[in-house]
Amino acid sequence: MKTTLIFATNNQHKVEEIRYVIGEQFEIITLQEAGIDIDIPEPHDTLEANATEKSQTIHLLTHQNCFSEDTGLEVEALNGEPGVKSARYAGDGRNFQDNIDKLLHNLQGITNRNARFRTVISLVLEGKEYLFEGSCEGDIITEQKGVQGFGYDPVFIPTGAGISFAEMTMAQKTTYSHRQKAVMKLIHFLNQQNV
Ligand code: IMP
């Protein structure tokens, strides 16, 4: 029988990317499909703590195996910002475009464009928590390129790629992606558990 995991997110882009990597091996149920209509808070100052908050919240509600992920864009010249605050960088209720605008504004005139995406996955399996991490190094470009993906994808070029995440197909983004690297560790772990 296939192992079923609830994915504690309301972000459809993340669901698509993770289903793409996981394939048929495990069944991923979204919050919507599980009939859970909540916006889980991300109040902490680390990706790890926010990921834990999300998976534990859903585990307490459902008592089922579940996982969550929290991702941040860490920009070297901005001392790691927006980091854990990536979703709310331009303020509460702001959208992807506002966040990108603020990021490009804060990097105006700065030549060090080094950045990385970092994803932390929190899995709650049979009541126990396990963390997995993946990262992707790259550069923030000065103008947006591409329309695929989501979030900061139009301004991020992974090292060696030559095009932004937003100019890539799902398959291309997957070969570089922070999320994919964390998910591969999750899959490896699940396979070892024989679940
Ligand atoms: P969170 O993990 O949902 O808190 O996302 C943090 C912020 O980073 C949000 O603004 C997302 O849109 C953005 N983000 C998360 N993953 C990615 C990605 O793979 N590419 C671009 N932006 C992302």
Side-chain angles (χ1 to χ4, degrees):
M1 210 177 67
K2 253 192 209 179
T3 300
T4 300
L5 298 166
I6 299 177
F7 182 17
T9 186
N10 289 310
N11 182 327
Q12 197 53 35
H13 294 282
K14 288 184 179 180
V15 175
E16 279 166 27
E17 286 187 13
I18 285 188
R19 277 193 174 142
Y20 184 84
V21 176
I22 283 189
E24 299 290 301
Q25 201 183 346
F26 302 100
E27 188 174 6
I28 305 299
I29 309 278
T30 64
L31 288 182
Q32 203 185 9
E33 287 161 355
I36 301 166
D37 182 16
I38 55 169
D39 210 10
I40 311 167
E42 299 179 350
H44 303 290
D45 57 9
T46 63
L47 298 176
E48 286 79 2
N50 281 335
T52 296
E53 174 95 22
K54 291 189 258 191
S55 62
Q56 296 290 359
T57 301
I58 297 308
H59 181 66
L60 274 174
L61 268 175
T62 63
H63 303 287
Q64 290 187 45
N65 294 330
C66 61
F67 71 99
S68 71
E69 68 100 274
D70 204 37
T71 296
L73 176 63
E74 300 172 342
V75 180
E76 195 172 272
L78 301 177
N79 300 316
E81 285 205 343
V84 71
K85 298 191 200 92
S86 294
R88 305 173 299 280
Y89 192 39
D92 284 332
R94 297 303 190 90
N95 59 26
F96 292 158
Q97 190 58 54
D98 297 324
N99 287 337
I100 288 178
D101 290 345
K102 179 168 178 183
L103 178 67
L104 294 184
H105 177 79
N106 286 348
L107 282 174
Q108 253 172 24
I110 294 178
T111 49
N112 175 5
R113 315 291 293 194
N114 294 346
R116 68 170 180 178
F117 275 110
R118 198 161 69 84
T119 291
V120 174
I121 289 179
S122 162
L123 167 73
V124 180
L125 187 70
E126 312 299 342
K128 269 180 132 181
E129 190 197 12
Y130 306 88
L131 295 175
F132 308 92
E133 186 185 318
S135 62
C136 173
E137 304 280 335
D139 292 292
I140 305 297
I141 47 181
T142 52
E143 280 176 17
Q144 293 181 219
K145 286 193 177 152
V147 294
Q148 307 300 320
F150 69 104
Y152 297 91
D153 279 349
V155 291
F156 184 84
I157 295 192
T159 304
I163 56 173
S164 80
F165 267 160
E167 294 177 290
M168 295 184 185
T169 61
M170 181 80 83
Q172 286 173 310
K173 182 175 176 184
T174 298
T175 62
Y176 295 97
S177 159
H178 41 292
R179 185 164 295 106
Q180 183 265 2
K181 288 175 188 151
V183 172
M184 291 308 289
K185 290 181 187 171
L186 169 72
I187 293 172
H188 181 70
F189 174 81
L190 289 170
N191 283 333
Q192 283 180 329
Q193 306 308 302
N194 288 322
V195 290

